[in-house]
Amino acid sequence: QVQLAESGGGTVQAGGSLRLSCAVSGRTYTTYAMGWFRQALGQEREFVTAISWNGDSTYYADSVKGRFHCSRDNAKNTVTLQMNSLRPEDTAIYYCAALSPGIPLTERTMTERQNYVYWGQGTQVTVSS
């Protein structure tokens, strides 16, 4: 089986930066397209960004485009989310997830939670003003 573990969350002032990491363990001989989602208190889990299996393509929600940057290092089995110019509305629990290998990574499929087969436990990001 595959396990995902997020780290790097914390509290930062508005305008600051945080770097989240997602460690992939288990069946790492299979490389997955990956996504990041976030869930604020009392709200639905929403799509943030996705990255192709080899890191050649990245996609971002409009709310974070230009501020967040996703990358991966498959040799280290890690996916990174660099978050800059953080705003209070970025406050949420951030989750990494692995896309089902049988589903193409498209602008439609990447936003659907049901298309992801593995999820991390989440890490809290709090942005204060």
Side-chain angles (χ1 to χ4, degrees):
Q1 58 181 6
V2 172
Q3 295 84 40
L4 309 179
E6 304 94 337
S7 62
T11 301
V12 66
Q13 291 184 340
S17 298
L18 283 173
R19 181 181 292 110
L20 306 183
S21 294
C22 177
V24 183
S25 61
R27 290 173 55 109
T28 55
Y29 55 84
T30 299
T31 305
Y32 299 85
M34 300 289 293
W36 288 90
F37 289 75
R38 66 187 183 185
Q39 186 167 18
L41 184 63
Q43 298 186 359
E44 297 290 329
R45 194 170 299 186
E46 66 174 355
F47 171 79
V48 177
T49 183
I51 186 168
S52 60
W53 72 272
N54 59 3
D56 286 347
S57 300
T58 52
Y59 309 87
Y60 300 92
D62 289 342
S63 59
V64 306
K65 193 171 186 177
R67 301 186 298 121
F68 290 14
H69 306 274
C70 187
S71 61
R72 67 190 301 163
D73 186 341
N74 288 342
K76 296 182 178 180
N77 297 318
T78 59
V79 180
T80 298
L81 180 62
Q82 177 67 45
M83 305 185 296
N84 301 317
S85 301
L86 283 163
R87 306 165 180 169
E89 54 263 41
D90 295 319
T91 296
I93 300 174
Y94 283 71
Y95 300 87
C96 65
L99 191 74
S100 173
I103 298 178
L105 182 64
T106 72
E107 292 187 356
R108 175 177 173 82
T109 63
M110 68 179 67
T111 65
E112 298 292 332
R113 291 174 292 169
Q114 69 183 78
N115 291 331
Y116 293 82
V117 297
Y118 299 109
W119 291 84
Q121 81 289 344
T123 186
Q124 177 70 50
V125 172
T126 302
V127 184
S128 63
S129 60

PDB file of all heavy atoms in Angstrom, residues 11-17 86-87 126-129:
ATOM      1  N   THR A  11       2.087  28.493  11.686  1.00  0.00           N
ATOM      2  CA  THR A  11       1.469  29.806  11.726  1.00  0.00           C
ATOM      3  C   THR A  11       2.431  30.843  11.173  1.00  0.00           C
ATOM      4  O   THR A  11       3.618  30.857  11.524  1.00  0.00           O
ATOM      5  CB  THR A  11       1.070  30.177  13.163  1.00  0.00           C
ATOM      6  OG1 THR A  11       0.160  29.203  13.677  1.00  0.00           O
ATOM      7  CG2 THR A  11       0.404  31.541  13.203  1.00  0.00           C
ATOM      8  N   VAL A  12       1.926  31.706  10.307  1.00  0.00           N
ATOM      9  CA  VAL A  12       2.746  32.732   9.676  1.00  0.00           C
ATOM     10  C   VAL A  12       1.917  33.999   9.516  1.00  0.00           C
ATOM     11  O   VAL A  12       0.689  33.939   9.403  1.00  0.00           O
ATOM     12  CB  VAL A  12       3.284  32.237   8.314  1.00  0.00           C
ATOM     13  CG1 VAL A  12       2.138  32.032   7.325  1.00  0.00           C
ATOM     14  CG2 VAL A  12       4.328  33.182   7.750  1.00  0.00           C
ATOM     15  N   GLN A  13       2.576  35.144   9.529  1.00  0.00           N
ATOM     16  CA  GLN A  13       1.889  36.408   9.301  1.00  0.00           C
ATOM     17  C   GLN A  13       1.556  36.583   7.823  1.00  0.00           C
ATOM     18  O   GLN A  13       2.222  36.028   6.950  1.00  0.00           O
ATOM     19  CB  GLN A  13       2.743  37.579   9.772  1.00  0.00           C
ATOM     20  CG  GLN A  13       2.918  37.656  11.279  1.00  0.00           C
ATOM     21  CD  GLN A  13       3.691  38.882  11.706  1.00  0.00           C
ATOM     22  OE1 GLN A  13       4.413  39.484  10.922  1.00  0.00           O
ATOM     23  NE2 GLN A  13       3.541  39.258  12.963  1.00  0.00           N
ATOM     24  N   ALA A  14       0.514  37.355   7.560  1.00  0.00           N
ATOM     25  CA  ALA A  14       0.154  37.658   6.183  1.00  0.00           C
ATOM     26  C   ALA A  14       1.350  38.224   5.429  1.00  0.00           C
ATOM     27  O   ALA A  14       2.095  39.055   5.947  1.00  0.00           O
ATOM     28  CB  ALA A  14      -1.011  38.639   6.147  1.00  0.00           C
ATOM     29  N   GLY A  15       1.518  37.757   4.198  1.00  0.00           N
ATOM     30  CA  GLY A  15       2.658  38.140   3.394  1.00  0.00           C
ATOM     31  C   GLY A  15       3.849  37.218   3.516  1.00  0.00           C
ATOM     32  O   GLY A  15       4.786  37.304   2.710  1.00  0.00           O
ATOM     33  N   GLY A  16       3.813  36.325   4.479  1.00  0.00           N
ATOM     34  CA  GLY A  16       4.903  35.405   4.698  1.00  0.00           C
ATOM     35  C   GLY A  16       4.816  34.179   3.821  1.00  0.00           C
ATOM     36  O   GLY A  16       3.941  34.059   2.961  1.00  0.00           O
ATOM     37  N   SER A  17       5.721  33.243   4.068  1.00  0.00           N
ATOM     38  CA  SER A  17       5.838  32.040   3.254  1.00  0.00           C
ATOM     39  C   SER A  17       5.923  30.801   4.122  1.00  0.00           C
ATOM     40  O   SER A  17       6.392  30.843   5.265  1.00  0.00           O
ATOM     41  CB  SER A  17       7.090  32.108   2.363  1.00  0.00           C
ATOM     42  OG  SER A  17       7.031  33.193   1.460  1.00  0.00           O
ATOM     43  N   LEU A  86       1.315  34.761   1.558  1.00  0.00           N
ATOM     44  CA  LEU A  86       0.158  34.123   2.174  1.00  0.00           C
ATOM     45  C   LEU A  86      -0.843  35.146   2.690  1.00  0.00           C
ATOM     46  O   LEU A  86      -0.469  36.232   3.151  1.00  0.00           O
ATOM     47  CB  LEU A  86       0.606  33.202   3.302  1.00  0.00           C
ATOM     48  CG  LEU A  86       1.194  31.871   2.826  1.00  0.00           C
ATOM     49  CD1 LEU A  86       1.980  31.198   3.941  1.00  0.00           C
ATOM     50  CD2 LEU A  86       0.081  30.955   2.324  1.00  0.00           C
ATOM     51  N   ARG A  87      -2.105  34.784   2.611  1.00  0.00           N
ATOM     52  CA  ARG A  87      -3.217  35.613   3.036  1.00  0.00           C
ATOM     53  C   ARG A  87      -4.018  34.898   4.110  1.00  0.00           C
ATOM     54  O   ARG A  87      -3.999  33.675   4.181  1.00  0.00           O
ATOM     55  CB  ARG A  87      -4.126  35.916   1.839  1.00  0.00           C
ATOM     56  CG  ARG A  87      -3.427  36.531   0.645  1.00  0.00           C
ATOM     57  CD  ARG A  87      -4.298  36.464  -0.593  1.00  0.00           C
ATOM     58  NE  ARG A  87      -3.658  37.054  -1.753  1.00  0.00           N
ATOM     59  CZ  ARG A  87      -4.109  36.944  -2.997  1.00  0.00           C
ATOM     60  NH1 ARG A  87      -5.230  36.275  -3.238  1.00  0.00           N
ATOM     61  NH2 ARG A  87      -3.453  37.520  -3.996  1.00  0.00           N
ATOM     62  N   THR A 126      -1.952  28.288   9.234  1.00  0.00           N
ATOM     63  CA  THR A 126      -2.682  29.422   9.777  1.00  0.00           C
ATOM     64  C   THR A 126      -1.956  30.704   9.403  1.00  0.00           C
ATOM     65  O   THR A 126      -0.765  30.856   9.695  1.00  0.00           O
ATOM     66  CB  THR A 126      -2.806  29.322  11.305  1.00  0.00           C
ATOM     67  OG1 THR A 126      -3.472  28.103  11.654  1.00  0.00           O
ATOM     68  CG2 THR A 126      -3.599  30.495  11.854  1.00  0.00           C
ATOM     69  N   VAL A 127      -2.667  31.620   8.764  1.00  0.00           N
ATOM     70  CA  VAL A 127      -2.114  32.899   8.347  1.00  0.00           C
ATOM     71  C   VAL A 127      -2.816  33.988   9.138  1.00  0.00           C
ATOM     72  O   VAL A 127      -4.038  34.155   9.040  1.00  0.00           O
ATOM     73  CB  VAL A 127      -2.282  33.133   6.839  1.00  0.00           C
ATOM     74  CG1 VAL A 127      -1.604  34.438   6.434  1.00  0.00           C
ATOM     75  CG2 VAL A 127      -1.705  31.958   6.057  1.00  0.00           C
ATOM     76  N   SER A 128      -2.058  34.725   9.909  1.00  0.00           N
ATOM     77  CA  SER A 128      -2.614  35.767  10.758  1.00  0.00           C
ATOM     78  C   SER A 128      -2.422  37.133  10.124  1.00  0.00           C
ATOM     79  O   SER A 128      -1.486  37.361   9.350  1.00  0.00           O
ATOM     80  CB  SER A 128      -1.960  35.737  12.140  1.00  0.00           C
ATOM     81  OG  SER A 128      -0.572  36.021  12.054  1.00  0.00           O
ATOM     82  N   SER A 129      -3.306  38.058  10.466  1.00  0.00           N
ATOM     83  CA  SER A 129      -3.225  39.429   9.975  1.00  0.00           C
ATOM     84  C   SER A 129      -2.885  40.402  11.081  1.00  0.00           C
ATOM     85  O   SER A 129      -2.582  41.560  10.830  1.00  0.00           O
ATOM     86  CB  SER A 129      -4.536  39.832   9.308  1.00  0.00           C
ATOM     87  OG  SER A 129      -5.605  39.752  10.230  1.00  0.00           O
TER      88      SER A 129
END
